[in-house]
Amino acid sequence: MYQVYPRSFADSDGDGIGDLRGILHRLDHLVELGVDAVWLSPVYASPQDDNGYDISDYQAVDPVFGTLDDLDELIAALHEHGIKLVMDLVVNHTSDEHPWFVESRDPTSPKRDWYWWRPPRAGLAAGAPGAEPTNWGSFFSGSVWELDETSGEYYLHLFSRKQPDLNWENEEVRQAVYAMMRWWLDRGVDGFRMDVVNVLSKDTSLPDGPVHGGVWADGSASYICGPRIHDFLAEMHRAVFAGRPERLLTVGEMPGVTIDQARVFTDPARAEVDMVFQFEHVGLDHGPGGKFDVRPLRLADLKASFGRWQAGLADIGWNSLYWDNHDQPRIVSRFGDDGHFRRESATMLATVLHLHRGTPFVYQGEELGMTNAHFTRLDQYRDIETLRHVEASGSLAGVAERGRDNARTPMQWSSDPNAGFSTGTPWIDVNENFGIINAAAERADPESVFHHYRRLIALRHDDPVVALGDFTMLLPDHEHVYAFTRSWDGVTLTVLGNFSGSLQDVVLDHDPGELILSNYSAPATTLRPWEARVHRHVG
Ligand code: ISL
């Protein structure tokens, strides 16, 4: 599955912002790569406070991205190539400019209950310090509560103040969302990636949370996998997906989800979602201060984490596999070496991830080995999470390593001006390295990151052991080498990845068989810097 972040993919009309016709012009790239499905980040009508994750009309395309006709054309064109289209479903919150919320601001409106409106804390006046109904902090810094002066009540927003949370306790809210989802399926889309879908159900008593330092508390115990989440997802499945003849796909984005919960969410017998995006492996290099508190990764921790998820979802459920998306820094800069060994480390990381059991996701540009932005000035950043964090903390520490804009610089198509992304001024700076790292150069070089991704995708399509094989972790304590096997029907793949820039000797206690894929051309016994190898043994 390939994720397109439309704002940064390809701009067809020169306004500096990517759009649907831009994607249509670049379909060859996806076809050549061999992807089965595209996940399209939001293109709905939106004030763009959080780049489209703040939706003001679920059934319209934002003019910045094009029209509904363009989207129909994109769906048809993808389908002609056998590629499915999965839309982003953002229904924990709407935009504050959505007509539902505009109506809800009136305390006498029937839509008042569609959102979480609460009076100030008992004994305190609206707007007084500490008068917020709970002490919870927002994902984007500050309180989760915003005061509406007109009614003197607060509304809940786990994300920005322009993203009020819908009240999923309200039956009409749920039915309105399901109707909207059916409308998209009837239009031909093949499923949904569901934004923060495990926070839909809140503890309605809204208790205060523990303070771990800083002003605002952690309210997550009241909304991560809350009391009615399984009921809601099962109901959604019955109302939207059950009985449809098409093969549809759902993946729920679930920060804080545990393996035990993921087994329940993805148990086919329960019919909730097909897979979840879990966050454990992308939190291993966070310090106690959170994502901007940068710590080095210990490879043994990564292996322990993935190993637990592989074992935990082996018999029931299914894993998603990802390094990158529009919220994460670039993996080659994060766990690899984006300097001298960029090609080697990007291809090694891809090999290790893609040969796990589960459905791999490729985020646009990952297949080119695109790197972090390496921005140096605050005025280069656009992301609301980053800007709010810098405002609240007064510091840029960790932002260059962890800011979400690392993933959001324009797709590097060629060495033309603006990397061939736009003829106008891009909404965010193009990474300075586009002259060297770009799709045209990658396609021309048979040993490139792009062609390695293509080979990994082809291997998954051609050899059933990749999709179906059992997973066994080897060398769990080795500090630099990631090693595992996959077995199915008498075939065993052995996968080795060197997570270091130095030579590593590996002793295996089985014959790994023929070398079928590697990121080095000449054979050798010792693993070279960032080398990846896939061996295949039959019998
Ligand atoms: O990006 C993050 C890392 O700090 C997460 O906290 C992220 O906000 C969380 O994973 C939820 O992400 C999704 O919902 C957000 C949106 O900003 C993200 O882009 C989206 O992927 C609110 O809709």
Side-chain angles (χ1 to χ4, degrees):
M1 192 138 165
Y2 185 94
Q3 183 189 355
V4 171
Y5 193 68
R7 208 179 170 78
S8 302
F9 192 68
D11 173 21
S12 71
D13 60 4
D15 66 356
I17 300 176
D19 46 47
L20 292 168
R21 302 217 71 81
I23 306 172
L24 272 161
H25 294 156
R26 295 292 185 179
L27 274 196
D28 284 1
H29 182 80
L30 305 180
V31 172
E32 190 178 341
L33 193 56
V35 306
D36 297 311
V38 167
W39 150 26
L40 181 63
S41 275
V43 293
Y44 313 96
S46 162
Q48 305 290 328
D49 184 56
D50 186 18
N51 292 357
Y53 283 88
D54 50 315
I55 297 168
S56 54
D57 185 345
Y58 289 107
Q59 285 163 249
V61 168
D62 197 282
V64 93
F65 297 122
T67 63
L68 261 181
D69 286 344
D70 295 333
L71 187 54
D72 288 341
E73 207 177 315
L74 178 62
I75 296 169
L78 286 167
H79 285 175
E80 260 171 50
H81 291 286
I83 300 175
K84 294 185 181 285
L85 181 73
V86 168
M87 296 288 275
D88 217 308
L89 180 80
V90 190
V91 291
N92 173 65
H93 41 269
T94 67
S95 164
D96 65 336
E97 297 180 38
H98 194 294
W100 296 344
F101 187 75
V102 173
E103 212 181 310
S104 177
R105 281 186 185 274
D106 174 357
T108 65
S109 141
K111 292 232 166 45
R112 185 67 168 180
D113 184 53
W114 282 39
Y115 295 84
W116 294 84
W117 289 99
R118 289 293 183 277
R121 193 179 285 271
L124 291 172
E132 293 81 9
T134 71
N135 61 358
W136 307 351
S138 152
F139 281 91
F140 293 164
S141 305
S143 170
V144 297
W145 296 100
E146 180 74 6
L147 176 63
D148 185 50
E149 301 280 354
T150 324
S151 68
E153 290 197 331
Y154 293 82
Y155 65 84
L156 177 75
H157 59 89
L158 295 185
F159 294 89
S160 103
R161 63 172 67 91
K162 289 187 65 61
Q163 293 169 302
D165 282 50
L166 281 165
N167 176 16
W168 273 71
E169 296 295 321
N170 184 302
E171 165 86 25
E172 289 171 7
V173 167
R174 303 201 302 275
Q175 295 306 329
V177 169
Y178 304 153
M180 174 272 285
M181 294 171 74
R182 289 190 295 261
W183 184 87
W184 280 108
L185 293 183
D186 292 342
R187 218 171 175 94
V189 312
D190 303 291
F192 297 98
R193 172 271 184 187
M194 303 174 177
D195 193 65
V196 288
V197 79
N198 65 329
V199 309
L200 298 184
S201 166
K202 279 101 176 160
D203 174 346
T204 54
S205 70
L206 303 180
D208 277 339
V211 183
H212 299 307
V215 182
W216 300 105
D218 176 9
S220 60
S222 298
Y223 53 78
I224 298 276
C225 301
R228 296 181 69 192
I229 188 59
H230 293 291
D231 296 343
F232 292 162
L233 290 181
E235 179 186 76
M236 175 190 282
H237 193 278
R238 287 192 302 273
V240 178
F241 302 106
R244 293 191 82 107
E246 319 92 291
R247 285 184 64 198
L248 302 170
L249 185 149
T250 56
V251 46
E253 188 207 24
M254 300 199 177
V257 72
T258 64
I259 295 172
D260 289 343
Q261 289 159 345
R263 272 170 76 89
V264 178
F265 283 120
T266 64
D267 178 353
R270 295 179 57 98
E272 294 183 24
V273 291
D274 295 322
M275 338 171 219
V276 307
F277 287 135
Q278 54 97 358
F279 282 68
E280 206 176 274
H281 64 299
V282 290
L284 296 174
D285 55 0
H286 294 182
K291 70 180 276 187
F292 296 105
D293 182 3
V294 179
R295 297 296 152 96
L297 172 76
R298 283 186 59 243
L299 182 64
D301 292 344
L302 183 68
K303 290 188 279 190
S305 172
F306 272 145
R308 277 193 305 270
W309 281 86
Q310 291 285 302
L313 300 187
D315 54 342
I316 291 174
W318 191 248
N319 273 292
S320 74
L321 305 169
Y322 74 93
W323 288 134
D324 277 334
N325 58 46
H326 62 292
D327 296 332
Q328 298 293 331
R330 293 286 183 180
I331 200 62
V332 67
S333 303
R334 187 180 193 175
F335 293 169
D337 171 353
D338 68 4
H340 187 63
F341 291 116
R342 185 186 65 87
R343 186 195 68 83
E344 290 81 354
S345 59
T347 49
M348 185 282 291
L349 287 161
T351 308
V352 165
L353 185 78
H354 281 235
L355 290 169
H356 278 70
R357 181 178 159 97
T359 298
F361 286 72
V362 179
Y363 175 67
Q364 66 185 44
E366 184 187 332
E367 79 283 17
L368 309 177
M370 276 179 63
T371 69
N372 275 354
H374 300 298
F375 287 161
T376 52
R377 303 188 320 271
L378 183 58
D379 69 358
Q380 293 176 296
Y381 292 98
R382 299 286 177 271
D383 171 32
I384 181 163
E385 181 195 48
T386 297
L387 298 177
R388 291 275 177 280
H389 167 76
V390 173
E391 201 177 277
S393 67
S395 163
L396 271 172
V399 162
E401 290 89 341
R402 291 294 157 73
R404 304 196 298 182
D405 284 333
N406 283 310
R408 301 177 180 187
T409 61
M411 183 73 176
Q412 292 163 211
W413 292 106
S414 67
S415 55
D416 293 341
N418 298 324
F421 163 71
S422 173
T423 54
T425 305
W427 69 277
I428 188 169
D429 287 354
V430 175
N431 193 312
E432 284 175 0
N433 60 25
F434 74 90
I436 298 161
I437 305 173
N438 61 68
E442 290 280 316
R443 287 170 90 147
D445 171 7
E447 301 309 318
S448 67
V449 181
F450 177 80
H451 287 294
H452 195 86
Y453 269 84
R454 208 175 46 68
R455 286 191 277 270
L456 285 168
I457 293 169
L459 180 62
R460 176 170 284 268
H461 286 151
D462 295 344
D463 196 339
V465 67
V466 179
L468 303 175
D470 294 343
F471 178 96
T472 306
M473 188 70 81
L474 309 174
L475 313 174
D477 301 319
H478 198 295
E479 281 177 45
H480 302 297
V481 175
Y482 202 121
F484 57 93
T485 58
R486 302 288 312 284
S487 299
W488 171 258
D489 201 18
V491 175
T492 297
L493 296 184
T494 301
V495 181
L496 301 173
N498 182 356
F499 270 69
S500 82
S502 49
L503 299 175
Q504 302 294 335
D505 279 314
V506 175
V507 182
L508 296 173
D509 56 13
H510 67 281
D511 168 15
E514 182 198 354
L515 181 67
I516 59 163
L517 186 66
S518 154
N519 58 355
Y520 275 77
S521 42
T525 43
T526 303
L527 280 177
R528 287 152 294 186
W530 303 99
E531 182 164 358
R533 284 188 204 161
V534 183
H535 291 264
R536 191 171 191 275
H537 186 271
V538 184

